[in-house]
Amino acid sequence: MPDLFRPEIAALSAYHTPQYPETDKLDANEVPYDLPEWIKNKLAYLLEQGIRINRYPEGDPLPLKALIAEYCGLTPVMVSVGNGSDELIRSIIIATCAGTNSSILSAEPTFSMYRITAETLGVRYIGLERNADDFSLDLDALANTIRREQVRVVFLANPNSPTANLLSEEALATLQSLPVVVVVDEAYFEFSRFTCAPRLSEWPNLIILRTFSKAFRLASFRVGYALASPQITEILEKVRLPYNLPALSQLAASVALEHRDVLLSVVPEILEERERIGRFLADLPRLRLWPSAANFLYVRSDSDHELHRKLAERGTLIRVTGGGLRITVGTPAENDRLIANLASLLKPGT
Ligand SMILES: *Cc1c(COP(=O)(O)O)cnc(C)c1O
């Protein structure tokens, strides 16, 4: 029986995150605030009155695509929606590399789903190392690897997770000149305000990924979208599963876009809090902090695992990843506790 399953799958572990009771959750880059109650009520009403639960949902959710297109300043044929951007990552790898000898490439440390998804599909993943000082790309190594190996797709989170930095203009120009599909994952766009969307018209191999899981506060509903040329979105439509987006998720994303002024109104507070935490972290001994264009901060200490465990024991859960620690900006109260806990651990005598 076990022989019937691929050995490389046996070598993987299922995606799960450890649960710690009663902690401030600063480990998953979500916004710390649930939806306002009146928006939840509106969704509950729509569930009751607007959805036939016994029927399959809209397979091609045109109303949602139209709202996304309007939000992004594009046309609906340039939008494809997925069950989280994770599904779109998988669709892109299926449509380009599955069943071939070609590879996908990214730059480490980065979002683990690029590697994990490729591995589950039997597609080779090449992880280039980023420059150690500022996590920028080694553009020569990138171009050489693409020339030497059979790379069809490059995945780059922008800003990157966990390192929080943006791609340089030079890197984007180089990427645009390469004969590959380039996926720019803009999961944190609403925090960075930097987008490649205006380049879609002159960059036919560009795919932009976005999500409702972060600034739009809908992580539990699993809605992501891709922005690309109509030729590419048509291909993505062919490989997605039927009815990939549940009806309630479609409605939730539409409602979130309709009330985006309300939902995104907490972004400035989160950015101010990020600066406040950053000023504190920069002063700590034995900790190195990098600049951030997102709603989280990336640091390295001389004992990341120990610091992570001691913080969790004190009620602050952050993430150990990519050879460092990623800290999501929480509510001001959560951030106060983070700062107090870090001070008690790293500044003895205070
Ligand atoms: C959080 C995150 C996503 C979001 O994934 P969903 O499947 O849409 O929840 C995508 N890419 C990156 C880099 C992220 O950090």
Side-chain angles (χ1 to χ4, degrees):
M1 174 71 171
D3 294 352
L4 297 175
F5 294 89
R6 289 160 48 208
E8 60 273 30
I9 301 292
L12 298 174
S13 35
Y15 194 94
H16 70 275
T17 41
Q19 301 294 317
Y20 294 83
E22 291 184 54
T23 49
D24 294 333
K25 263 186 67 59
L26 307 182
D27 68 331
N29 292 351
E30 301 134 330
V31 165
Y33 302 108
D34 196 350
L35 299 193
E37 202 173 299
W38 64 270
I39 295 186
K40 281 191 150 180
N41 287 338
K42 182 166 177 174
L43 265 180
Y45 174 83
L46 287 170
L47 172 62
E48 205 174 69
Q49 303 295 327
I51 296 179
R52 298 261 333 245
I53 294 177
N54 59 317
R55 299 291 183 198
Y56 282 107
E58 194 64 64
D60 186 15
L62 294 173
L64 174 57
K65 282 184 178 177
L67 279 168
I68 292 171
E70 181 255 315
Y71 173 60
C72 300
L74 299 168
T75 52
V77 287
M78 299 182 77
V79 178
S80 191
V81 294
N83 195 278
S85 31
D86 290 344
E87 186 196 12
L88 293 159
I89 293 167
R90 181 153 70 176
S91 294
I92 292 166
I93 300 175
I94 290 173
T96 52
C97 296
T100 74
N101 285 325
S102 50
S103 319
I104 74 157
L105 180 147
S106 189
E108 299 280 344
T110 193
F111 190 49
S112 60
M113 289 313 293
Y114 310 139
R115 177 181 54 76
I116 293 169
T117 310
E119 283 173 353
T120 62
L121 292 168
V123 169
R124 186 159 79 111
Y125 172 85
I126 303 172
L128 291 182
E129 284 301 310
R130 289 168 182 267
N131 294 320
D133 263 348
D134 59 1
F135 303 112
S136 59
L137 301 183
D138 182 339
L139 296 174
D140 291 333
L142 182 89
N144 288 334
T145 308
I146 288 172
R147 210 171 300 123
R148 266 201 322 270
E149 316 287 336
Q150 297 189 40
V151 174
R152 288 197 177 163
V153 192
V154 175
F155 281 90
L156 292 165
N158 196 40
N160 187 44
S161 175
T163 57
N165 59 308
L166 283 165
L167 293 167
S168 66
E169 278 302 319
E170 189 195 3
L172 288 168
T174 303
L175 288 162
Q176 186 167 352
S177 71
L178 296 170
V180 289
V181 172
V182 175
V183 181
V184 176
D185 184 342
E186 297 183 352
Y188 302 97
F189 160 69
E190 285 80 10
F191 301 103
S192 74
R193 302 306 302 172
F194 180 88
T195 180
C196 286
R199 295 171 204 243
L200 281 166
S201 54
E202 75 226 22
W203 189 348
N205 294 338
L206 174 65
I207 302 177
I208 294 169
L209 294 182
R210 299 265 191 90
T211 181
F212 283 87
S213 300
K214 304 288 159 59
F216 276 106
R217 296 149 70 171
L218 296 187
S220 70
F221 282 116
R222 312 296 300 121
V223 189
Y225 57 98
L227 307 172
S229 71
Q231 290 79 7
I232 291 180
T233 55
E234 197 183 324
I235 291 169
L236 295 180
E237 289 295 305
K238 291 179 186 177
V239 294
R240 70 168 170 79
L241 292 174
Y243 312 114
N244 59 332
L245 203 55
L248 190 54
S249 295
Q250 295 182 22
L251 275 179
S254 298
V255 168
L257 279 173
E258 194 185 331
H259 298 296
R260 59 183 179 255
D261 291 354
V262 176
L263 292 181
L264 300 180
S265 68
V266 297
V267 168
E269 177 198 282
I270 289 170
L271 297 180
E272 280 163 32
E273 285 288 298
R274 179 187 75 197
E275 296 312 298
R276 177 169 79 96
I277 300 168
R279 284 191 296 275
F280 167 78
L281 293 172
D283 277 347
L284 281 181
R286 295 159 46 210
L287 208 67
R288 181 165 177 198
L289 168 72
W290 279 268
S292 169
N295 64 331
F296 55 89
L297 290 151
Y298 186 68
V299 295
R300 283 179 178 173
S301 75
D302 42 23
S303 53
D304 291 335
H305 286 275
E306 187 187 341
L307 192 54
H308 169 264
R309 180 175 51 79
K310 288 185 169 167
L311 276 175
E313 285 164 5
R314 284 166 172 73
T316 298
L317 185 62
I318 62 171
R319 184 81 179 263
V320 188
T321 178
L325 295 165
R326 195 190 66 192
I327 305 170
T328 309
V329 177
T331 64
E334 288 171 331
N335 302 334
D336 285 344
R337 291 191 287 270
L338 164 79
I339 287 171
N341 289 335
L342 276 171
S344 76
L345 289 167
L346 294 176
K347 280 194 194 168
T350 59

